[in-house]
Amino acid sequence: MCLCEEELEKIKDMITALRPYEEVTRELSAEKFVSISKVIPLSTLLLTSSSDLSKKGNEVACQLAQQCKKRFMNIEQNYPLAASTWFDPRFKSLTFKNNDNIKVTKEKIIHELQKMKPVPAPTDLDDSPAVPPEEKGGIWTMFDQAKKKNQEQRTSSSMVDAHIEMRMYGDEQLMSRETDPLEWWRSREECLKFSSKLARKYLGIVATSVPSERLFSKAGQLISDRRASLKPKNVNMLLFLNDYLNQ
């Protein structure tokens, strides 16, 4: 039953090779932090880590590196993953291995930004009580026509605005890994109005199904043979309180 020296060395290699995968699993299983934007960076780091260990003669790491190359080959072409990584001020395009993929991602983001219509300001409303009815038309006709033309030009300039916001965001320096990307975007809502909305759309995606599976596990622990008469609304409330109080 005793392990020989060769078997002990293999176990050590396995522990060394699998340690990064345990770390990544914990990172992506989080439910109280943004996780979707970490998928591409962590897949890149996993491949690099396994490749480095395989060069040192770790056979397990060599097999893992081959699987990473096979499974993550086209991960940067997954638009939701790529967009969430770009919109994370901690990563942006730093962890992309292929510049063509980030270029395509930016083009799709700009296209989405162009489709987002600006909300008209209250001063744009024609039925504003501040203007007496008798002053509409007449001498104001030329002004109203110029204003309408200006608004049409403003709408047609959405393409320019999208490029401006993308360039402004790209010029921002990378944040530390401890930064909350959602809080960062909240502080930029004024200057990056449309980009912040799109960022929340993609950064709010959960990377894995682990959080929902945790919820089902809690429900299974809550409902038992001795507590089978709980009403659904009470079960929901107990699950909510359990999750809220554990934060």
Side-chain angles (χ1 to χ4, degrees), residues 86-137:
W86 166 252
F87 277 125
D88 194 320
R90 301 171 297 178
F91 308 127
K92 294 185 182 179
S93 59
L94 185 63
T95 56
F96 282 78
K97 294 183 294 182
N98 191 324
N99 290 330
D100 291 336
N101 290 332
I102 187 59
K103 183 179 179 180
V104 172
T105 300
K106 287 181 179 180
E107 290 174 352
K108 290 183 178 179
I109 290 174
I110 289 174
H111 182 66
E112 277 199 81
L113 290 173
Q114 291 170 1
K115 293 192 297 183
M116 299 176 71
K117 295 181 179 180
V119 180
T123 54
D124 291 337
L125 300 177
D126 292 331
D127 57 351
S128 174
V131 181
E134 61 270 19
E135 293 188 13
K136 293 183 177 180

Side-chain angles (χ1 to χ4, degrees), residues 14-228:
M14 290 178 65
I15 293 173
T16 304
L18 291 173
R19 186 174 289 116
Y21 290 83
E22 179 192 14
E23 186 178 351
V24 169
T25 301
R26 293 183 184 276
E27 285 267 356
L28 295 182
S29 299
E31 58 183 300
K32 298 177 182 177
F33 307 98
V34 174
S35 56
I36 186 70
S37 58
K38 294 180 180 179
V39 174
I40 290 178
L42 288 176
S43 65
T44 303
L45 293 173
L46 272 182
L47 178 58
T48 304
S49 173
S50 297
S51 298
D52 290 345
L53 288 173
S54 65
K55 293 176 182 178
K56 298 178 181 179
N58 191 317
E59 295 181 4
V60 178
C62 182
Q63 292 294 325
L64 290 172
Q66 292 176 5
Q67 288 297 319
C68 283
K69 289 179 181 179
K70 177 182 177 181
R71 296 172 184 272
F72 301 146
M73 182 185 303
N74 299 319
I75 193 170
E76 293 180 4
Q77 297 176 15
N78 184 308
Y79 177 61
L81 292 179
S84 64
T85 304
W86 166 252
F87 277 125
D88 194 320
R90 301 171 297 178
F91 308 127
K92 294 185 182 179
S93 59
L94 185 63
T95 56
F96 282 78
K97 294 183 294 182
N98 191 324
N99 290 330
D100 291 336
N101 290 332
I102 187 59
K103 183 179 179 180
V104 172
T105 300
K106 287 181 179 180
E107 290 174 352
K108 290 183 178 179
I109 290 174
I110 289 174
H111 182 66
E112 277 199 81
L113 290 173
Q114 291 170 1
K115 293 192 297 183
M116 299 176 71
K117 295 181 179 180
V119 180
T123 54
D124 291 337
L125 300 177
D126 292 331
D127 57 351
S128 174
V131 181
E134 61 270 19
E135 293 188 13
K136 293 183 177 180
I139 194 65
W140 289 99
T141 302
M142 289 185 292
F143 172 80
D144 292 338
Q145 290 175 349
K147 180 181 178 182
K148 183 179 180 181
K149 185 177 180 181
N150 179 268
Q151 289 175 334
E152 290 174 351
Q153 291 175 347
R154 178 62 182 169
T155 303
S156 64
S157 67
S158 60
M159 181 181 298
V160 178
D161 292 342
H163 283 278
I164 290 174
E165 285 203 7
M166 285 289 286
R167 186 169 65 250
M168 289 175 61
Y169 172 61
D171 290 340
E172 292 272 359
Q173 65 177 359
L174 291 175
M175 298 291 103
S176 66
R177 287 194 296 107
E178 289 73 26
T179 302
D180 184 342
L182 292 176
E183 288 293 335
W184 187 92
W185 277 106
R186 181 180 295 177
S187 67
R188 299 298 194 282
E189 281 182 336
E190 292 298 324
C191 58
L192 299 171
K193 181 168 54 176
F194 299 115
S195 296
S196 63
K197 293 180 180 179
L198 206 57
R200 289 197 298 269
K201 171 185 174 181
Y202 289 107
L203 292 175
I205 302 173
V206 183
T208 68
S209 62
V210 173
S212 61
E213 291 172 1
R214 285 198 191 107
L215 187 61
F216 282 118
S217 297
K218 290 178 183 177
Q221 295 170 2
L222 182 65
I223 303 171
S224 62
D225 292 338
R226 295 186 178 184
R227 306 185 71 183

